[in-house]
C-alpha cells in the first residue's frame, strides 16, 4: 500500500530538520557579505576532502540510480554495476591526470577551459550545449524519476512530489556551493544508511521466501535462483546485450562515458575546482571507494525485486506496476518495509534527489552566469550582481525542469538508459576535444569545432542509421543487435560512442595538422610531468581500488 505512517513522517521530518538546520548554520557561519562570485559558485578553498568526496557522490547518486539503475538490476542484473565500478577507476585517473591540469591553469568552469585552450566560439557553443543538456536531460530526469519514486512509496500526488523536490533543492542551492558541499555530507549519510537498510530487508525477504532467514542466506538464494543476473559481461544472446555489449564495457565506450562524465563535466569537477591539489585528490579517492559500495544499494534491491516478482510475492497492484515499467521495482520494494524504516528509505531517496538537483542547478547557474552573462551580456557586472543572476538562474532552471519533465517520455526507455543515451550524443566529441586539448599542443580551434558539431552530428547519424540501412549483416559479429520495439538492427549505444570518438579524434588530428601547416598558432597548455606525481597514501588507495575491481570482475565475469 502506497502510504507513510506517522512514524515514517517523523523520521523524514528529523532528516529534513537536520539538513535544513545544518545548512543554515553553515550559511551563517561561512557567509560573507563581500564574498566573490567564485566563492559563491565554487566555495573556493573552503571544502575539506571528505566534503568534496561526499558531495561528488551525493551529486552523482540520484533517482536515476535508486530508481532507474534498480530497474536495470531487475532487467539485466549485476551487469549494470559496471557504470559504478568502472567509475571508481575513472575517478582515480581523473584525480591523477585531469585535476592537476585544471588547477594549474586556474580553470573554474568547463567553457572557461575551452576559451582558454581554443577560442571563445568553441566555449560559447559548448556553454549552450551544456545548459541545454543539463536542463532538458539531467535536471528533468532527476525531477521526474525522483517524483515517481516518492509517489510510489508515499502515495503523495505526483505533481506535488515534483514541486516539493524542486522547492527543497532551490532552498539548498541558493545558499551557494559551501552549503551544498557540507549538507551533501548529511545527504550521503542518509542516502547510504537508508539504502543499505533497504538492501538488507530486500535480501533477507528473498531468504525468508525460500525458508532460509538471514542476510548471507538471502544472498546465496539470490545467486542460486537468479544466476543469470550475476554476470558482469553479457553474452550476445542476452536481451540486454544492446545496452551493455560484452567487452565494450571494459575496453570501449564505457571509458568515454565515465571519463567524460567525471573529468569533463562542470556538474562533477566543480566540487574539486575550489580546493588545492592534495585536498581535491583525497576527496576524489574517497568518492572512488564510495562508488565501489553503490551497487549494494542501487542494484541488489533490483535483483531481489526480480526474484520476488517471479515468485508472485507482491500484490496484484504492485505486480501490475512493475510489469508496466521496471523502473517501478524499487518504489514497489519500499512498500514492503516496516514503519519507520520506510521513512528512512523515503529520506534516503529524497536526499539523493535533492542533492543531485542542487548540484546540477548550481552548475547551470555557474555556466550561465560566468560564461554567458559575464562575457556576453554584462561584462562589467559586479560580484554581487553575478551572485544575484546565479540565484535567479537556479529558480528559472528548476521551473523549466518541472514544466517540461512530464513530456519527455523518460519512463518509456528506462530512466538510466534515457540519460546515458541522450548525454551520449555529445560525450564523444566533448571528450575528444578535452583529451587532445590537455595533452596535444597542436590541437586547434577548428579541430575543436569539428569535434563539437561533428561529434553530435555523427552520434545522431549512427542513432538513426538503421532507418536508412539494413544492419542485419552485422548481427553475427555482435556489432548490431535487434531492437525489441522497432524490430530494426541497431549499433549498441556504447559501440556508437566508441565509433564517434575515433572519428572525432581522427578528424581533430587531421584538421590540426592542416592548420599547423598553414602556420596557425594554438593555445597549448603548459604540462609539467611533476603535476601528475601523487602522494604515497594516494598511490596505496588507488592500488587497493584496482585490486578490488580485479577481484569483483574475476568473481562475477
Amino acid at each position: 500500500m502506497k502510504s507513510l505512517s506517522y512514524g515514517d513522517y517523523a523520521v523524514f521530518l528529523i532528516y529534513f530538520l537536520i539538513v535544513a538546520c545544518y545548512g543554515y548554520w553553515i550559511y551563517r557561519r561561512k557567509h560573507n557579505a563581500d564574498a566573490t562570485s567564485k566563492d559563491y559558485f565554487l566555495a573556493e578553498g573552503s571544502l575539506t576532502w571528505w566534503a568534496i568526496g561526499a558531495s561528488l557522490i551525493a551529486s552523482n547518486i540520484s533517482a536515476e540510480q535508486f530508481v532507474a539503475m534498480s530497474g536495470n538490476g531487475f532487467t539485466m542484473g549485476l551487469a549494470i554495476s559496471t557504470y559504478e565500478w568502472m567509475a571508481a577507476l575513472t575517478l582515480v585517473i581523473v584525480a591523477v591526470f585531469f585535476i592537476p591540469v585544471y588547477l594549474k591553469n586556474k580553470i573554474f568552469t568547463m567553457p572557461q577551459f575551452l576559451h582558454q585552450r581554443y577560442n571563445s566560439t568553441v566555449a560559447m557553443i559548448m556553454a549552450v550545449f551544456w545548459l541545454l543538456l543539463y536542463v532538458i536531460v539531467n535536471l528533468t530526469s532527476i525531477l521526474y524519476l525522483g517524483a515517481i519514486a516518492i509517489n510510489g512509496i508515499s502515495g503523495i500526488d505526483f505533481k506535488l512530489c515534483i514541486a516539493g523536490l524542486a522547492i527543497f533543492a532551490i532552498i539548498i542551492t541558493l545558499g551557494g556551493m559551501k552549503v551544498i558541499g557540507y549538507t551533501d555530507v548529511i545527504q550521503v549519510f542518509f542516502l547510504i544508511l537508508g539504502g543499505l537498510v533497504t538492501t538488507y530487508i530486500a535480501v533477507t525477504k528473498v531468504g525468508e521466501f525460500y525458508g532460509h532467514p538471514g542476510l548471507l542466506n538471502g544472498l546465496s538464494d539470490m545467486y542460486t535462483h537468479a544466476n543469470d543476473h550475476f554476470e558482469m559481461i553479457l553474452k550476445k544472446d542476452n536481451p540486454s546485450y544492446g545496452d551493455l555489449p560484452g567487452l565494450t564495457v571494459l575496453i570501449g565506450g564505457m571509458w568515454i562515458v565515465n571519463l567524460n562524465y567525471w573529468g569533463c563535466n562542470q556538474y562533477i569537477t566543480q566540487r574539486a575546482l575550489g580546493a588545492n591539489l592534495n585536498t581535491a585528490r583525497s576527496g576524489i579517492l574517497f568518492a572512488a571507494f564510495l562508488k565501489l559500495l553503490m551497487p549494494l544499494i542501487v542494484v541488489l534491491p533490483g535483483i531481489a525485486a526480480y526474484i520476488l516478482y517471479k515468485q508472485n510475492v507482491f500484490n496484484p497492484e504492485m505486480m501490475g506496476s512493475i510489469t508496466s515499467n521496471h523502473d517501478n521495482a524499487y518504489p514497489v520494494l519500499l512498500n514492503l518495509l516496516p514503519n519507520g524504516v520506510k521513512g528512512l528509505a523515503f529520506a534516503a531517496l529524497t536526499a539523493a534527489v535533492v542533492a543531485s538537483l542542487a548540484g546540477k542547478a548550481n552548475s547551470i547557474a555557474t555556466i550561465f552566469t560566468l560564461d554567458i552573462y559575464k562575457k556576453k551580456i554584462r561584462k562589467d557586472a559586479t560580484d554581487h550582481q553575478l551572485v544575484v543572476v546565479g540565484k535567479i538562474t537556479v529558480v528559472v532552471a528548476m521551473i523549466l525542469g518541472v514544466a517540461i519533465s512530464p513530456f519527455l517520455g523518460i519512463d518509456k526507455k528506462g530512466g538510466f538508459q534515457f540519460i546515458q543515451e541522450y548525454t551520449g550524443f555529445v560525450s564523444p566529441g566533448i571528450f575528444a576535444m578535452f583529451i587532445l586539448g590537455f595533452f596535444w599542443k597542436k590541437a586547434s580551434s577548428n579541430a575543436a569545432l569539428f569535434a563539437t558539431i561533428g561529434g553530435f552530428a555523427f552520434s545522431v547519424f549512427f542513432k538513426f542509421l538503421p532507418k536508412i540501412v539494413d544492419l542485419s549483416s552485422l548481427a553475427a559479429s555482435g556489432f548490431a543487435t535487434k531492437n525489441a520495439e522497432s524490430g530494426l538492427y541497431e549499433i549498441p549505444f556504447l559501440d556508437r560512442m566508441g565509433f564517434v570518438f575515433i572519428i572525432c579524434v581522427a578528424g581533430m588530428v587531421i584538421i590540426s595538422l592542416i592548420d599547423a601547416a598553414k602556420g596557425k598558432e594554438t593555445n597549448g597548455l603548459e604540462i609539467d610531468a611533476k603535476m601528475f606525481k601523487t602522494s604515497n597514501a594516494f598511490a596505496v588507495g588507488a592500488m587497493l581500488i584496482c585490486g578490488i575491481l580485479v577481484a569483483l570482475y574475476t568473481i562475477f565475469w
Side-chain angles (χ1 to χ4, degrees):
M1 181 167 176
K2 297 196 296 186
S3 65
L4 295 174
S5 69
Y6 289 117
D8 293 324
Y9 280 116
V11 172
F12 179 79
L13 183 62
I14 291 170
Y15 148 74
F16 178 82
L17 289 174
I18 289 173
V19 173
C21 293
Y22 184 63
Y24 183 73
W25 180 74
I26 288 290
Y27 179 76
R28 296 296 301 172
R29 181 169 175 249
K30 295 182 177 289
H31 179 64
N32 180 354
D34 299 319
T36 66
S37 55
K38 287 177 182 175
D39 187 63
Y40 174 80
F41 292 115
L42 295 166
E44 192 168 12
S46 67
L47 293 184
T48 58
W49 65 268
W50 45 269
I52 290 171
S55 190
L56 280 168
I57 296 302
S59 299
N60 167 244
I61 299 297
S62 185
E64 70 262 30
Q65 272 79 16
F66 268 109
V67 178
M69 192 171 274
S70 284
N72 286 127
F74 181 98
T75 305
M76 67 179 74
L78 195 64
I80 196 67
S81 301
T82 191
Y83 279 98
E84 301 300 306
W85 288 341
M86 293 298 285
L89 185 55
T90 302
L91 279 164
V92 173
I93 295 171
V94 168
V96 175
F97 296 106
F98 286 47
I99 293 299
V101 177
Y102 289 136
L103 296 183
K104 182 176 177 64
N105 291 277
K106 293 181 170 56
I107 301 296
F108 297 110
T109 71
M110 299 301 97
Q112 179 200 342
F113 164 76
L114 297 176
H115 181 275
Q116 196 168 312
R117 177 60 182 83
Y118 295 113
N119 60 27
S120 59
T121 304
V122 174
M124 188 54 60
I125 289 173
M126 285 312 306
V128 173
F129 254 130
W130 270 309
L131 284 179
L132 291 174
L133 184 69
Y134 287 169
V135 174
I136 296 175
V137 176
N138 297 104
L139 200 66
T140 53
S141 58
I142 294 169
L143 276 167
Y144 187 83
L145 292 169
I148 282 180
I150 290 173
N151 167 261
I153 185 177
S154 67
I156 298 171
D157 182 72
F158 176 82
K159 292 181 180 177
L160 201 58
C161 290
I162 208 168
L165 287 171
I167 292 169
F168 193 177
I170 286 172
I171 292 170
I172 291 178
T173 312
L174 294 183
M177 194 62 210
K178 288 176 183 174
V179 173
I180 294 172
Y182 282 104
T183 54
D184 277 351
V185 177
I186 306 292
Q187 307 274 39
V188 163
F189 171 78
F190 277 96
L191 185 160
I192 292 178
L193 178 61
L196 287 175
V197 168
T198 303
T199 298
Y200 174 81
I201 292 175
V203 172
T204 52
K205 280 199 176 290
V206 172
E208 288 169 5
F209 177 82
Y210 289 105
H212 308 130
L215 179 66
L216 294 180
N217 287 332
L219 287 170
S220 177
D221 285 329
M222 285 176 64
Y223 189 78
T224 300
H225 296 280
N227 188 259
D228 60 330
H229 273 52
F230 284 89
E231 296 176 354
M232 288 300 297
I233 307 299
L234 301 182
K235 299 179 177 64
K236 293 177 184 177
D237 60 353
N238 191 298
S240 299
Y241 185 83
D243 293 318
L244 294 173
L247 287 174
T248 295
V249 300
L250 293 181
I251 59 175
M254 186 61 71
W255 283 107
I256 299 168
V257 172
N258 272 303
L259 285 168
N260 177 70
Y261 179 84
W262 293 103
C264 313
N265 184 349
Q266 181 73 28
Y267 175 46
I268 293 300
T269 54
Q270 190 158 339
R271 273 107 193 99
L273 296 183
N276 62 52
L277 182 57
N278 287 335
T279 303
R281 277 180 167 163
S282 297
I284 293 171
L285 188 66
F286 177 45
F289 277 105
L290 291 178
K291 288 301 281 183
L292 295 175
L293 183 67
M294 285 303 121
L296 293 177
I297 296 172
V298 299
V299 179
L300 275 186
I303 301 176
Y306 168 78
I307 295 171
L308 297 173
Y309 172 84
K310 287 294 184 183
Q311 301 300 330
N312 294 310
V313 171
F314 303 118
N315 65 39
E317 181 187 354
M318 293 176 175
M319 293 289 287
S321 177
I322 296 176
T323 302
S324 64
N325 183 359
H326 292 165
D327 278 352
N328 288 327
Y330 195 82
V332 163
L333 194 64
L334 295 184
N335 285 290
L336 299 179
L337 302 181
N339 292 340
V341 175
K342 196 175 179 182
L344 181 61
F346 183 44
L349 262 175
T350 305
V353 175
V354 169
S356 284
L357 286 174
K360 187 65 71 179
N362 184 263
S363 293
I364 291 168
T366 302
I367 290 177
F368 177 79
T369 305
L370 300 185
D371 295 301
I372 296 179
Y373 184 81
K374 172 73 173 172
K375 290 181 179 176
K376 296 294 182 182
I377 299 174
R378 189 167 183 180
K379 297 180 179 180
D380 61 345
T382 64
D383 273 329
H384 175 71
Q385 289 170 333
L386 292 178
V387 171
V388 171
V389 169
K391 291 180 177 180
I392 293 172
T393 304
V394 166
V395 176
V396 171
M398 207 68 74
I399 291 173
L400 286 173
V402 170
I404 66 178
S405 61
F407 304 102
L408 295 179
I410 295 169
D411 56 334
K412 293 178 181 177
K413 185 174 179 64
F416 189 73
Q417 295 304 116
F418 171 87
I419 295 168
Q420 298 308 318
E421 179 155 343
Y422 286 93
T423 303
F425 279 154
V426 296
S427 296
I430 294 173
F431 183 54
M433 182 167 48
F434 268 75
I435 204 73
L436 290 183
F438 281 155
F439 303 113
W440 193 45
K441 291 185 178 182
K442 290 184 179 180
S444 66
S445 56
N446 288 332
L449 278 173
F450 168 78
T452 302
I453 300 171
F456 177 76
F458 277 109
S459 293
V460 173
F461 172 75
F462 280 120
K463 167 67 176 174
F464 295 103
L465 184 62
K467 295 184 179 181
I468 305 170
V469 179
D470 181 9
L471 301 178
S472 58
S473 59
L474 296 176
S477 63
F479 283 115
T481 57
K482 197 169 187 177
N483 184 294
E485 292 183 10
S486 67
L488 299 174
Y489 282 90
E490 297 180 349
I491 300 173
F493 152 66
L494 288 174
D495 288 339
R496 290 202 310 264
M497 289 188 66
F499 296 154
V500 174
F501 175 71
I502 292 170
I503 291 170
C504 288
V505 169
M508 283 191 70
V509 169
I510 293 169
I511 294 170
S512 297
L513 292 176
I514 292 172
D515 285 342
K518 292 179 180 178
K520 291 186 178 180
E521 295 184 1
T522 58
N523 304 316
L525 301 176
E526 290 299 324
I527 302 295
D528 182 357
K530 294 179 181 178
M531 293 164 50
F532 308 121
K533 186 177 180 181
T534 65
S535 67
N536 291 335
F538 181 92
V540 170
M543 290 301 294
L544 184 57
I545 286 172
C546 291
I548 293 171
L549 286 173
V550 169
L552 288 170
Y553 274 91
T554 301
I555 294 169
F556 297 112
W557 186 270

